[in-house]
Amino acid sequence: MTSCAQVQSKDVSMRELDEGILQTNMGRIGQKILVLSGKGGVGKSTVAANLAVALSKAGKRVGLLDVDLHGPSIPKILGLEGMRLCPDAMGHIEPIMVSETLSVISVGLLLDKQTDAVVWRGPMKQNVIRQFLKDGVWGDLDVLVVDSPPGTGDEPLAVAEMVGENASAVIVTTPQDVAIADVRRSVSFCRMLELPIAGIIENMSGLACPHCGEIVDLFKTGGGGKLAREMGVPFLGCIPLDPDIVSAGDSGTTFTQSSTNSLGAQAFASVIAPILNPISPAELESNSKEPQSMKIAIPTAQGELCMHFGHCEQFTMIEVDPTTKSVLSTEMLTPPPHEPGVLPRWLSEQGANLIIAGGMGQRAQGLFVKNGINVIVGAPGKSPEVLALSYLNNTLESGANACDH
Ligand code: ADP
């Protein structure tokens, strides 16, 4: 009879074997590029597919892995609908060859029909990601582009952990504030995992007018670039909303394949140029570090911290260098009229990373955090520079929240 201990030790050795196979498979791939986004619908798959096609056209051996479990759109974008992956008896999965140098595995190619819904339970998601990486017959590749699940949850975490070394992230966003707040989380996610960030792409940035060829500012633009500067991450550039991109995606050819000369295609080419050229390890390492400077916003009245956050008429914005613990610049800013939700958005646009306040309601604190701004409450009524320096030197006294309503 098999004892419990024997079963457990068999489980452990199977896991070790699996891990070994995964590492060997990933070790045959020169570079992994994880395409991430804070949320769905921002064009992550479009970027991943076009990046993979552009890399393969540039002569690299490329794999494209689509593990966007809840919205696998790579088969549609590459015109692979109707094709199916067939794992062999050992569970090995041969990718579908789109060209001699581009192989694709997508979770969408396991479904009978594109419209089939899959209910993924927790561990199944990790298992399918592991299986694609471990049992995919990728062979020797220069680059594996991964269309990752959106957000910063367990699934993108599993991808980042399983791909192993020589990985970097490209973060795709749209310009609106709601998307930008999500990108802050994606950047923090990469920093937490020490995953170097190759850069941020702002997609759907203005509309490429099919009549005059000009870029029309539909909502606003520039949020991605501003955020990249604030967070010390490279900005790769903007891609406009372009009807050619929609029709290319819908017809199953990437706009990179169809060599369209639309504004969107031109923008895409310039955005990915730095990715096509290898990124130096030193550059990557510096991208994974904390930014050189941060901005602290302090509500101010008569030269001192103002206890009434919601009624203060001015903010002192102090840019500091946390490494040298010094003040780089100080500026007085007048906020727009106070209405619910205005200050978090406005301070985020001003690039604030931290607020030092006397008091603030819980709800307001939550709104700032949602906008990527940390809050310290209970600070004393001293001059803003003194407070900023105390914060940098870890000597900031913060007592009770002075006004919690
Ligand atoms: P995600 O992977 O982030 O969910 P997709 O890449 O699937 O997003 O894109 C969602 C939709 O937006 C698709 O129909 C795609 O063709 C379209 N799209 C993406 N980028 C652009 C763009 N720059 N201009 C026009 N349409 C775009």
Side-chain angles (χ1 to χ4, degrees):
M1 215 167 82
T2 319
S3 73
C4 227
Q6 277 172 322
V7 172
Q8 272 174 2
S9 100
K10 197 170 154 213
D11 275 0
V12 171
S13 46
M14 281 300 287
R15 267 205 302 276
E16 282 170 357
L17 184 68
D18 261 16
E19 195 54 38
I21 300 173
L22 173 68
Q23 282 179 17
T24 310
N25 225 15
M26 290 299 100
R28 294 177 65 182
I29 299 173
Q31 199 192 345
K32 296 105 181 183
I33 301 176
L34 311 190
V35 185
L36 304 174
S37 66
K39 58 183 187 140
V42 298
K44 173 177 56 60
S45 305
T46 304
V47 167
N50 281 280
L51 178 58
V53 169
L55 283 162
S56 83
K57 277 175 93 178
K60 311 248 186 225
R61 291 162 303 169
V62 184
L64 172 59
L65 172 62
D66 171 16
V67 276
D68 189 343
L69 302 178
H70 300 282
S73 40
I74 293 294
K76 171 95 185 147
I77 296 174
L78 291 179
L80 307 178
E81 284 168 302
M83 295 193 183
R84 296 258 294 144
L85 292 169
C86 302
D88 69 13
M90 303 288 291
H92 297 145
I93 306 167
E94 283 287 345
I96 291 190
M97 299 304 294
V98 171
S99 71
E100 256 176 50
T101 51
L102 177 59
S103 47
V104 177
I105 290 184
S106 163
V107 71
L109 297 170
L110 284 180
L111 311 177
D112 281 331
K113 283 193 254 82
Q114 277 299 301
T115 45
D116 281 356
V118 186
V119 180
W120 298 102
R121 295 186 196 282
M124 278 166 69
K125 299 179 195 170
Q126 319 256 337
N127 286 345
V128 77
I129 293 168
R130 174 176 282 271
Q131 198 190 350
F132 283 158
L133 291 168
K134 175 176 82 69
D135 298 326
V137 188
W138 295 108
D140 296 316
L141 291 180
D142 295 311
V143 190
L144 177 68
V145 177
V146 185
D147 184 3
S148 304
T152 51
D154 289 345
E155 301 145 47
L157 181 69
V159 176
E161 284 177 346
M162 287 179 206
V163 291
E165 290 176 350
N166 300 326
S168 59
V170 169
I171 302 174
V172 183
T173 182
T174 49
Q176 306 91 322
D177 287 339
V178 277
I180 295 295
D182 286 330
V183 179
R184 282 181 199 278
R185 276 188 283 279
S186 300
V187 172
S188 309
F189 171 83
C190 294
R191 292 214 160 106
M192 188 187 76
L193 297 173
E194 295 183 2
L195 176 66
I197 301 169
I200 294 179
I201 295 176
E202 181 177 307
N203 188 27
M204 308 191 185
S205 179
L207 168 76
C209 172
H211 305 295
C212 65
E214 296 273 315
I215 302 285
V216 185
D217 242 353
L218 269 189
F219 346 96
K220 58 185 206 173
T221 58
K226 192 156 170 265
L227 180 92
R229 274 195 302 283
E230 267 167 52
M231 300 201 82
V233 173
F235 183 58
L236 296 169
C238 300
I239 305 171
L241 267 167
D242 183 342
D244 279 2
I245 295 184
V246 187
S247 41
D250 285 352
S251 69
T253 36
T254 60
F255 53 96
T256 305
Q257 278 164 319
S258 57
S259 68
T260 135
N261 205 25
S262 70
L263 281 181
Q266 288 173 27
F268 186 79
S270 91
V271 159
I272 61 160
I275 307 174
L276 293 185
N277 303 312
I279 303 151
S280 79
E283 217 179 327
L284 283 177
E285 194 179 322
S286 76
N287 293 348
S288 67
K289 295 216 171 100
E290 287 297 320
Q292 296 293 304
S293 70
M294 65 179 285
K295 284 188 172 177
I296 305 178
I298 302 176
T300 308
Q302 284 143 17
E304 287 189 347
L305 176 133
C306 165
M307 290 296 164
H308 300 285
F309 185 87
H311 304 288
C312 87
E313 284 172 7
Q314 283 207 301
F315 277 86
T316 311
M317 185 69 88
I318 306 186
E319 189 171 8
V320 295
D321 182 337
T323 323
T324 57
K325 300 190 192 321
S326 56
V327 170
L328 301 174
S329 66
T330 302
E331 171 182 25
M332 295 306 294
L333 299 174
T334 305
H338 293 193
E339 277 170 35
V342 166
L343 274 183
R345 202 164 50 241
W346 177 74
L347 278 172
S348 162
E349 281 165 12
Q350 305 305 315
N353 309 100
L354 172 73
I355 293 170
I356 298 181
M360 191 191 296
Q362 290 293 341
R363 210 178 137 259
Q365 286 185 43
L367 287 177
F368 282 110
V369 171
K370 264 196 187 154
N371 278 270
I373 306 174
N374 288 323
V375 181
I376 295 178
V377 290
K382 294 187 178 167
S383 86
E385 284 80 3
V386 167
L387 293 172
L389 285 171
S390 325
Y391 165 77
L392 290 174
N393 290 299
N394 281 329
T395 54
L396 179 66
E397 309 149 21
S398 53
N401 191 350
C403 158
D404 190 17
H405 51 76

